[in-house]
Amino acid sequence: MTSGDGTWVDESDWELGADDVAAAVEDAAAVPPVVAVVGRPNVGKSTLVNRILGRREAVVQDVPGVTRDRVSYDALWGGRRFVIQDTGGWEPDARGLQQLVADQAMVAMRTADVIILVVDAVVGATTADEAAARMLRRSGKPVFLAANKVDNERGEADAAALWSLGLGEPHPISAMHGRGVADLLDHVLAALPEISQAAAAGGGLRRVALVGKPNVGKSSLLNRLAGDQRAVVHDVAGTTVDPVDSLIELGGKTWRFIDTAGLRRKVGQASGHEYYASVRTHGAIDAAEVVIVLIDASQPVTEQDQRILSMVTDAGRALVLAFNKWDLVDEERRHLLEREIDMDLSHVHWAPRVNVSAKTGRAVQKLVPALERALASWDNRITTGQLNTFLKEVLAATPPPVRGGRQPRVLFATQAAIRPPTFVLFTTGFLEAGYRRFLERRLREEFGFEGSPLRINVRVREKRAKK
């Protein structure tokens, strides 16, 4: 492809091989496998994650009283790329401990391809360890037992006692000193798929997560959706260790609402309830295809609302915004809310908005078409011909800004993946973040993508050396 406007491929200077494109597309589309590290507090989970990362990224230390979300890191070991999830960071009371460990295990079972359960070999197996092990045994996923704090051969007898957990051979390690970690990871990598199977699992009914901060009306809306449609909400048959999903008939089709029992459960009695709610929210988002984020329209948009929205966009899920308690919104509040949306929610301006009242039933039926539009965008694929024709016109009208005295050109573009739509642009130079946002906005104007995040990856091509 050549163009006199200087914004497209000049074949006399550039060569874009099919192998290069195929490799870039495969890399952008592939979801790396996920390894989750779970266990009680203070057994060495974060230390192990640090050891696996080679200390290239610091893991925040566990501080009593501080709640920290599940954190994911890109890792590389033995030439294999994968994501490692650190699930540490909470200090519950004794009553809440087993439930919180169990909840971590549930999320790991849903979202990870391989699970590492870390146990303190010096302390031995506790009741919380045994509860987590029972759940993980039934998950059907590879589980590796890391017997931590085995600093020398004398400690290996302590590790051997952990056979009682029924997870197979304990792997004696010292996360602090690195002893045995390489052997453990060799076993983990052998069990890892090339791309995440957990991310692709769960076909059939479309999966919806209903999430939001506490007291925003999630359970009321869920019950309204179920009751108004005169559908039976029932627990999906399965083992007791699985999070409970609800099947709800809406708009003439059945939807699977993910982990709604966990989202409805009252956990205010436990000191770790904020972390518990955060883990549940993460797990529901990761297991869903489309997420309804419920926001209290009668109150100012909060930092917690923003954090939940970031979870959804970071996970690449389709998104619908539902502003609840609309029956409490007067004209003045409506004006203030519009300003808050413009200021605080501009980064998700592409998400469908539905103003509802779970209490009165106002407009809840509008959620179904919003969900369907968001999912259609999430599944949407633009042909390479359409995309390049469109970009050629956009770049001719608004070329990329000059950087370092040179104007980068876009050589070729392709959509590498759906769910979410992911685009790869081959360029002669770096494209500024502001210009990438401009291209995203123009893509949305041309092709819609209402309700889906878009990802734009830029691959800079070095100029071919002249012979």
Side-chain angles (χ1 to χ4, degrees):
M1 265 177 293
T2 58
S3 174
D5 58 33
T7 59
W8 214 241
V9 174
D10 180 349
E11 291 177 349
S12 64
D13 289 335
W14 291 83
E15 189 176 83
L16 197 66
D19 290 345
D20 297 321
V21 175
V25 168
E26 183 178 355
D27 186 53
V31 180
V34 177
V35 178
V37 179
V38 302
R40 295 185 295 108
N42 304 317
V43 293
K45 296 187 300 295
S46 294
T47 307
L48 177 59
V49 169
N50 254 341
R51 175 65 62 181
I52 292 170
L53 293 172
R55 302 194 183 278
R56 288 190 297 273
E57 295 191 55
V59 175
V60 180
Q61 290 184 336
D62 295 345
V63 178
V66 175
T67 299
R68 182 163 63 84
D69 289 340
R70 194 162 44 103
V71 183
S72 297
Y73 298 97
D74 291 322
L76 186 68
W77 187 275
R80 291 284 304 279
R81 187 167 64 97
F82 59 96
V83 171
I84 189 155
Q85 287 181 348
D86 179 9
T87 56
W90 36 268
E91 288 287 335
D93 60 16
R95 286 180 305 159
L97 174 58
Q98 289 192 53
Q99 180 58 62
L100 286 165
V101 173
D103 204 61
Q104 279 192 346
M106 282 185 179
V107 173
M109 284 160 51
R110 273 212 187 268
T111 62
D113 296 286
V114 171
I115 302 163
I116 299 175
L117 174 63
V118 183
V119 176
D120 186 332
V122 177
V123 173
T126 67
T127 53
D129 295 328
E130 290 167 355
R134 277 195 301 274
M135 298 169 64
L136 294 174
R137 282 201 304 269
R138 300 172 187 164
S139 70
K141 297 195 175 176
V143 181
F144 294 90
L145 177 59
N148 194 25
K149 305 184 183 180
V150 178
D151 298 329
N152 50 51
E153 290 184 7
R154 289 196 302 274
E156 293 192 5
D158 296 329
L162 297 175
W163 274 96
S164 63
L165 289 174
L167 292 174
E169 182 179 2
H171 296 268
I173 66 166
S174 171
M176 180 70 71
H177 302 112
R179 185 177 189 269
V181 173
D183 290 339
L184 169 64
L185 279 177
D186 286 344
H187 285 91
V188 168
L189 289 183
L192 268 185
E194 288 298 319
I195 62 173
S196 179
Q197 301 301 306
L205 303 178
R206 302 314 296 253
R207 306 187 302 282
V208 187
L210 176 59
V211 302
K213 65 186 179 185
N215 302 317
V216 76
K218 295 185 295 292
S219 60
S220 297
L221 179 57
L222 186 72
N223 292 333
R224 170 69 66 173
L225 289 170
D228 279 2
Q229 299 299 322
R230 288 175 169 73
V232 177
V233 181
H234 62 279
D235 298 342
V236 178
T239 65
T240 57
V241 304
D242 292 327
V244 178
D245 297 345
S246 296
L247 302 184
I248 300 178
E249 188 176 325
L250 299 170
K253 67 170 70 171
T254 304
W255 303 76
R256 182 185 295 271
F257 277 74
I258 297 294
D259 204 4
T260 46
L263 294 172
R264 282 180 289 182
R265 189 172 299 152
K266 293 179 181 178
V267 293
Q269 296 81 2
S271 65
H273 68 277
E274 288 183 9
Y275 176 79
Y276 178 89
S278 173
V279 169
R280 281 288 188 187
T281 300
H282 264 301
I285 290 169
D286 287 346
E289 297 173 294
V290 59
V291 180
I292 301 172
V293 175
L294 203 56
I295 296 173
D296 186 342
S298 68
Q299 301 293 328
V301 175
T302 67
E303 186 178 337
Q304 196 167 4
D305 294 322
Q306 298 271 32
R307 191 159 59 244
I308 291 170
L309 286 167
S310 294
M311 289 183 196
V312 178
T313 53
D314 290 349
R317 299 303 184 258
L319 171 65
V320 171
L321 297 176
F323 288 87
N324 193 26
K325 306 186 183 180
W326 201 256
D327 52 304
L328 303 179
V329 176
D330 56 21
E331 196 64 39
E332 181 182 358
R333 174 60 196 150
R334 197 169 302 177
H335 176 68
L336 288 172
L337 180 61
E338 289 299 328
R339 289 181 55 192
E340 290 168 17
I341 290 170
D342 288 342
M343 292 177 59
D344 300 331
L345 303 183
S346 59
H347 59 298
V348 289
H349 64 89
W350 41 264
R353 281 174 49 190
V354 184
N355 302 324
V356 303
S357 170
K359 183 178 179 181
T360 68
R362 179 197 190 278
V364 293
Q365 73 280 1
K366 294 183 179 179
L367 285 171
V368 172
L371 290 170
E372 290 175 337
R373 290 198 305 275
L375 283 166
S377 295
W378 199 57
D379 290 333
N380 194 20
R381 184 181 291 277
I382 307 303
T383 68
T384 300
Q386 281 180 300
L387 180 63
N388 284 278
T389 299
F390 159 75
L391 278 177
K392 184 176 179 179
E393 295 172 358
V394 171
L395 292 160
T398 311
V402 174
R403 181 182 172 91
R406 300 182 64 182
Q407 185 177 76
R409 293 180 293 138
V410 177
L411 306 171
F412 182 72
T414 188
Q415 183 174 346
I418 58 174
R419 301 186 170 195
T422 302
F423 300 90
V424 179
L425 274 57
F426 296 87
T427 70
T428 66
F430 181 76
L431 296 183
E432 303 282 358
Y435 193 74
R436 292 201 301 274
R437 286 194 295 272
F438 161 74
L439 290 179
E440 178 184 338
R441 188 167 65 251
R442 291 292 288 111
L443 275 167
R444 291 186 183 282
E445 290 170 0
E446 181 72 16
F447 299 109
F449 291 114
E450 182 186 10
S452 177
L454 299 185
R455 291 179 175 166
I456 298 178
N457 297 339
V458 175
R459 296 299 178 94
V460 178
R461 293 271 298 168
E462 297 297 332
K463 193 165 185 177
R464 191 179 62 196
K466 293 187 181 294
K467 295 182 181 179

